[in-house]
Each structure stands twice: as C-alpha cells, then as structure tokens.
Amino acid sequence: MGEIVLIRHGETTWSASGQHTSVTDLELTENGVSQAKALAPLLAGREFTAVWSSPRKRALITADLAGLAVTAVLPDLAEWGYGDYEGRTSEEIEADDPGWSLWTDGGKGPGGESAEEVAARLDRALTEAEPLLERGDVAFIAHGHSLRVAAARWLGRPPRDGRDFKIDTASIAALGYEHGRHAITLWNLTAAAANGE
C-alpha cells in the first residue's frame, strides 16, 4: 500500500521572512533551489502513481528540481487564502488584530478562507488520492498551512489541529496506515535532517 507524500516547496523570500504567502507567486531563493534539489535522494526509492502540485510556481519548480514529473495541477492544493493578511507577518497582524489566529479566525477580507473552506479543498484531494494508493504513492507538492490541514484531516481531526504539525520548507511527510487506520508515517524530514546536519 502506498502513501500520500506531502512535499512542502523550497524557501522563498517570504517564507524566509515569515510573511504569509498564498496567491503571491514567488520564485525560490537560491537556498530554496538547493533545498528542492536535495529532496531528490529522499524521494528516489518511491514509486509514484500520481504527482499533484499546487498551481503556484514555488510548488511546480520544487517538483521539477526534486526530479518529479507533475501529472496534475490541483487548485485544491493551493495555500490557505489569507486575504488582507497576504504578505504580512504574524507579528504585524497581531499588532492590528490582537489575538488573531489563522487556525480559528481564518483569512480576512476578500480572498480570505476559513479553516473549514481549506479543509473542504484538502478533503477532496485526499479522497481522490486514497484509491490510488493501491498502486503506489501519491505526491502532494504544496504549502505549509495547506499540508498541515491535510495531515489533520487524514487523521479525522478538525482543520484547526493542523497548528500542531510544524513543517519546514523543502520537507517531506507521509500519510499512510497502521493496522488499517490512517496514520502519519513520516513527518518534517528535510535533507539536512536526513544527513544529520
């Protein structure tokens, strides 16, 4: 039985600075390019029956650099829509909106998504992917918040529980099974961690 392999894109200028990035279509930094290339050995032993990417450049470029041929671009894998908070850090948002949490309050204004809206998108992707696992792995190349929601939903937990899963840029995770139940079988593995750095 295969696994759903979650791959977060490599570093961008905004992921490095902590700015919320959804629809802004950024390139990878030099470090992000190196990170993405370093994923290839971690993925080399897997048999992918499908490789699905977010439509954002940072995800598509990461897939290519990691040696994966994207078989479908899925809007459902796009990052959480932050709306008015796009491009802002958590500290900047907190100064204007004390107590705000993406996980409970969602994005703000036009384009802002609630946790439930993001969960509905990821639920569709997970439901579509699961039958394919009988033939091999399915890759989701996407973003920090959306992949954390995917993990929570795989476990049957509410989307807000994604806040409990830290995920670094250019890391991989895997959603699989243990004793017939959904389980997280790998989490937040970077090339640096795999190499003991």
Side-chain angles (χ1 to χ4, degrees), residues 12-15 21 23-28 57-58 61:
T12 67
T13 54
W14 282 14
S15 66
T21 320
V23 295
T24 306
D25 218 2
L26 300 176
E27 301 279 350
L28 301 183
K57 282 189 292 194
R58 56 194 183 273
I61 292 168

Side-chain angles (χ1 to χ4, degrees), residues 5-195:
V5 180
L6 309 180
I7 304 166
R8 186 177 176 199
H9 63 78
E11 180 190 80
T12 67
T13 54
W14 282 14
S15 66
S17 63
Q19 292 169 263
H20 287 79
T21 320
S22 178
V23 295
T24 306
D25 218 2
L26 300 176
E27 301 279 350
L28 301 183
T29 62
E30 273 188 47
N31 183 49
V33 168
S34 296
Q35 289 177 327
K37 288 177 179 176
L39 288 173
L42 302 181
L43 299 168
R46 291 189 174 268
E47 294 289 332
F48 287 102
T49 189
V51 176
W52 297 344
S53 177
S54 157
R56 303 292 176 251
K57 282 189 292 194
R58 56 194 183 273
L60 291 163
I61 292 168
T62 296
D64 182 58
L65 293 172
L68 299 175
V70 172
T71 59
V73 174
L74 269 61
D76 281 344
L77 295 182
E79 182 58 297
W80 195 315
Y82 304 121
D84 293 343
Y85 291 160
E86 179 83 2
R88 302 184 70 197
T89 66
S90 294
E91 293 76 19
E92 290 169 341
I93 297 166
E94 176 70 22
D96 292 337
D97 190 355
W100 172 81
S101 166
L102 178 67
W103 300 102
T104 53
D105 303 320
K108 295 291 183 176
E113 288 183 292
S114 69
E116 291 70 27
E117 289 171 317
V118 178
R121 294 197 279 109
L122 274 300
D123 284 350
R124 284 193 297 267
L126 291 167
T127 298
E128 192 176 344
E130 190 165 14
L132 302 179
L133 300 181
E134 296 199 13
R135 295 182 303 177
D137 295 331
V138 176
F140 286 9
I141 303 108
H143 312 275
H145 285 124
S146 62
L147 293 176
R148 292 162 74 180
V149 171
R153 298 302 299 144
W154 182 254
L155 297 178
R157 293 167 60 179
R160 70 176 177 272
D161 284 0
R163 64 187 164 196
D164 296 333
F165 303 111
K166 180 183 185 297
I167 188 167
D168 293 320
T169 54
S171 65
I172 62 172
L175 309 179
Y177 304 90
E178 184 179 35
H179 303 299
R181 296 178 62 246
H182 285 183
I184 294 175
T185 54
L186 176 70
W187 192 258
N188 204 34
L189 179 66
T190 62
N195 294 325

